Amino acid sequence: MAVLVLASASPRRLDLLRQIAITPGLVDPAHIDETPLKGELPVPHARRLAEAKALAVAARHPGAFVLAADTVVACGRRILPKAEDEATARKCLDLLSGRRHRVVGGICLIAPDGRVGRRTVTTSVTFKRLSHAEIAAYVASGEWDGKAGGYAIQGLAARHVRDIQGSYSNIVGLSLFETAQLLDGFGYAP
């Protein structure tokens, strides 16, 4: 059986795969530019990045299964950034407060024979209206660091989520159902 390479530096994606008894033989992040293209919408952006990551890593590992993903938090047509500082985290949380937003997950699998499988998963998430104190407490936690949209649903932010429609694992970073279906369909057996 060919090795499975996870084209991601995300420890959450690795943990999610292990949850369904899939342990990649290798983790090799793609390190590509993730800047949205001018006018690019959330769904095409997530798809493009997942495929670009998979292709970049597959070139380094011929004959392997290569799995890549990208997670985009979108409020309307707007793609929210990965929060790299407190000000960005605060802006994201202010925007998401009391609103519904979408988490778009792009998944791409390249098989050893070169076949490419793609999936896109969209989950709807609704936050309660957040007070200034709740935003300040979450920002002080540091949990937002490096997270798309400035929050991690698997942590403290869960207390502020009123409703989820769709895949919970997609919000964390990888839709497990869609990923398992892709791997099974391409003949990967852990």
Side-chain angles (χ1 to χ4, degrees):
M1 175 56 64
V3 68
L4 174 63
V5 179
L6 177 60
S8 175
S10 168
R12 292 166 303 286
R13 289 193 181 113
L14 190 56
D15 289 344
L16 284 166
L17 286 170
R18 288 179 178 147
Q19 181 180 325
I20 58 170
I22 296 173
T23 302
L26 186 62
V27 175
D28 184 7
H31 301 297
I32 64 165
D33 180 5
E34 298 187 23
T35 306
L37 301 175
K38 184 177 172 112
E40 190 172 36
L41 297 175
V43 172
H45 179 66
R47 286 182 189 149
R48 178 179 65 81
L49 290 184
E51 186 167 351
K53 290 174 184 180
L55 291 169
V57 173
R60 299 192 295 254
H61 301 281
F65 284 95
V66 175
L67 176 65
D70 192 72
T71 303
V72 173
V73 175
C75 202
R77 298 167 55 98
R78 183 186 317 188
I79 297 170
L80 273 61
K82 286 185 181 176
E84 302 294 342
D85 56 51
E86 289 185 3
T88 302
R90 195 171 282 107
K91 283 180 188 173
C92 288
L93 293 169
D94 280 337
L95 183 64
L96 298 176
S97 176
R99 296 180 72 173
R100 179 177 310 184
H101 64 278
R102 292 172 296 135
V103 178
V104 180
I107 306 167
C108 184
L109 177 67
I110 299 179
D113 62 7
R115 288 178 295 152
V116 179
R118 300 166 193 87
R119 298 288 183 274
T120 307
V121 180
T122 301
T123 306
S124 175
V125 181
T126 305
F127 270 32
K128 72 174 205 142
R129 172 128 347 252
L130 300 171
S131 69
H132 293 298
E134 287 169 324
I135 291 173
Y138 190 74
V139 170
S141 77
E143 199 176 74
W144 49 266
D145 191 21
K147 307 294 190 302
Y151 75 94
I153 195 164
Q154 68 276 19
L156 298 172
R159 70 181 294 144
H160 305 304
V161 175
R162 280 191 19 225
D163 183 60
I164 296 172
Q165 295 177 10
S167 169
Y168 172 82
S169 62
N170 181 52
I171 305 166
V172 178
L174 183 66
S175 173
L176 292 178
F177 177 79
E178 297 293 339
T179 300
Q181 294 298 303
L182 268 175
L183 289 166
D184 290 348
F186 276 42
Y188 176 78

